[in-house]
Structures are given as C-alpha cells and as structure tokens.
Amino acid sequence: KLLSHYIEHQTKNDTKIVNWENHIISETLSYAFRDTVYDHRTFPSNLHYHDYYELVIFEEGNVHYVCEGRVYHPQYCDIILIPPGKFHMSVINGESTRYKRHVFYLYPSAFDAIGQGALTSFLNRTTNGDMLAFGLIEAKRTFMDLLGHLKESFNSEPLPLEEVLQLSYILQIFYLLNQKEKKKKNKISSLPENI
C-alpha cells in the first residue's frame, strides 16, 4: 500500500537508473535511496497524491518540488515533507540531471508498535507540505551520516542483526527530525493563483 504509486505507475527499466530499491521496514514505513539520471523524456513528472506521508531528503539534482501551490527549491540535506492527500510532483530543471535522494513513506503510526509514536510528532507541524532544514552544520552532518549508514546497511545479507541495525539508524534519523529544524522561506515560492 505504501509503495502502490511507484510500483504500479513507474517503469524502472531505464538503464540510467543507478539505484532504486524500496525497502519495506514495516506495514507503515518504507525507505528507499534513489540515484537516477534523468532527461525530459525519462523524468516521471506527474501530479499525484497518496494517503501516507512522503519524506524526501534531497542530496543532489537540478529539480524542484511542487506541493499544493508552493514550489520548493531544495539544497543538499533539505527535507521535503508531503502530507497525505496533497497533490505534488517533482520537476526537472534543464535538459538532464542526476537526482539523488532518500525517501521515506510512512503513516503517523509508523513507530506505535514499539511504543515510540512521538518520533512522528514533527509531521503535525504542517498541513500543506513544507521544506525543513537543519540549522547547525554538525546536525546536518550527523543526519546525512546516519542516512548513509542506513543505505549501506541494505547491501548486507538480510540477517536479524542487520535488521536491528537498520532499525537503530531509522530511530536515530527520526529522533533528529524531531529536533530543532527551521523552514527555509527563501527557498520556497508560490505558483500564480490561476495555475
């Protein structure tokens, strides 16, 4: 259910796709690291919505995001938060780009089973989508290091201890997401009313 949009509507046979694996953490949480090279012909730019949150941590690419009439222009380590039921899409700028990002799909109940529902409390800070960023360089570095460790952990055999390690990285990542973050107003613009 979490990945239905991408599984049913995206083709991933393009040879320019370097890495696009979806990892099901639980019924209410999934993670993917995506490293793709797109041009205007191959970029999957379509307006859509779903009934879960989408959390995109931007690494690299000449793209912007549109969500509910706002346009987000992310930089390295910016976090795009898209709530359920909100129309959104990403758009390529220029002829082609390498596009790297970490993506979490989740329901607010993602950590309820382990008694840590507070880890998704930051989701309540927006109703129409937002772009978040860490104010301190050290926090940004720690956050991206954890994402790198999480990505690498999926290269190992799926053993029970590896799954525990993956969960520990995810818990730390979501802990940091609930820490001090700021909205980058200068990187957000609005679409004209008629659009």
Side-chain angles (χ1 to χ4, degrees):
K1 188 174 178 182
L2 279 167
L3 300 171
S4 60
H5 171 75
Y6 291 99
I7 290 172
E8 294 171 11
H9 302 292
Q10 300 294 334
T11 57
K12 300 177 190 68
N13 297 327
D14 194 309
T15 57
K16 295 179 182 177
I17 293 176
V18 178
N19 184 340
W20 185 324
E21 284 189 28
N22 296 310
H23 304 284
I24 307 297
I25 309 303
S26 71
E27 292 180 0
T28 56
L29 176 67
S30 72
Y31 163 78
F33 173 74
R34 298 183 179 156
D35 183 352
T36 48
V37 177
Y38 287 118
D39 58 29
H40 282 291
R41 181 186 57 81
T42 59
F43 194 77
S45 187
N46 56 334
L47 200 59
H48 66 280
Y49 71 94
H50 28 70
D51 69 344
Y52 46 85
Y53 283 88
E54 182 175 345
L55 193 63
V56 180
I57 299 98
F58 182 82
E59 271 202 36
E60 175 185 337
N62 190 9
V63 299
H64 63 267
Y65 297 84
V66 178
C67 182
E68 292 293 314
R70 297 173 87 187
V71 181
Y72 302 98
H73 308 277
Q75 294 179 335
Y76 179 76
C77 194
D78 284 346
I79 302 151
I80 309 296
L81 174 58
I82 301 163
K86 302 301 176 183
F87 281 100
H88 62 281
M89 64 190 287
S90 51
V91 179
I92 189 173
N93 301 319
E95 291 302 312
S96 65
T97 190
R98 181 176 183 183
Y99 181 24
K100 292 172 65 176
R101 68 273 190 210
H102 301 263
V103 184
F104 288 95
Y105 298 114
L106 69 148
Y107 289 100
S109 61
F111 300 103
D112 288 358
I114 59 171
Q116 299 301 322
L119 286 173
T120 58
S121 62
F122 73 97
L123 298 174
N124 299 325
R125 296 180 188 169
T126 182
T127 56
N128 286 321
D130 217 335
M131 185 164 67
L132 310 172
F134 290 98
L136 298 174
I137 293 173
E138 295 81 22
K140 184 185 291 190
R141 186 177 301 123
T142 300
F143 184 68
M144 294 307 289
D145 284 347
L146 284 168
L147 284 165
H149 294 318
L150 177 61
K151 177 178 74 81
E152 291 304 314
S153 73
F154 285 103
N155 293 334
S156 303
E157 287 188 45
L159 302 171
L161 282 178
E162 286 300 318
E163 292 176 1
V164 170
L165 183 62
Q166 291 161 359
L167 182 58
S168 73
Y169 291 140
I170 291 169
L171 293 174
Q172 292 175 74
I173 288 164
F174 277 80
Y175 172 80
L176 288 176
L177 285 168
N178 279 280
Q179 299 305 301
K180 296 177 183 177
E181 69 262 350
K182 62 178 183 177
K183 299 174 184 178
K184 301 185 78 173
K185 298 291 187 189
N186 61 333
K187 298 296 179 186
I188 301 172
S189 56
S190 296
L191 290 173
E193 279 288 319
N194 59 343
I195 295 186

